[in-house]
């Protein structure tokens, strides 16, 4: 059994609700499947479920465990540093597609 490591500058939300809570309340968490290691204390770029760069967040906790159903899960808690401007979002999103997400059928 091994651990997957998240790339240090990417924090992608799978659900819009998790992202909404972070942006609305300044703190939030997300749940990932599998045992993963997130860089606690590091600032990262948060992406929406549609792969759009949204904000800079700080990872404050990362808890990897096997739950009572036998599933490997990782819960990541974070705090909002700031939302990205539209220009910053555009540049970060374009870079992320080139480096991580792959080139979509985009204009």
């Amino acid at each position: 059994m091994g651990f997957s490591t998240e790339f240090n500058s990417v924090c992608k939300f799978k659900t819009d609700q998790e992202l909404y809570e972070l942006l609305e309340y300044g703190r939030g968490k997300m749940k990932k499947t599998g045992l993963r290691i997130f860089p606690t204390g590091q600032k990262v770029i948060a992406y929406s479920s549609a792969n759009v760069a949204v904000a800079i967040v700080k990872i404050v906790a990362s808890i990897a465990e096997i739950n009572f159903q036998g599933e490997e899960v990782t819960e990541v808690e974070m705090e909002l540093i700031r939302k990205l401007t539209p220009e910053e979002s555009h540049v970060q999103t374009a870079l992320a597609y080139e480096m991580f997400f792959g080139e979509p059928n985009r204009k």
Side-chain angles (χ1 to χ4, degrees), residues 39-53:
T40 303
Q42 185 170 329
K43 293 178 185 175
V44 298
I45 302 294
Y47 291 83
S48 70
S49 59
N51 296 340
V52 175

Side-chain angles (χ1 to χ4, degrees), residues 72-88:
E72 297 175 345
V73 294
T74 301
E75 210 168 272
V76 184
E77 295 181 18
M78 60 202 75
E79 62 185 29
L80 178 66
I81 301 299
R82 71 176 178 86
K83 294 179 185 177
L84 296 177
T85 66
E87 182 179 335
E88 290 170 330

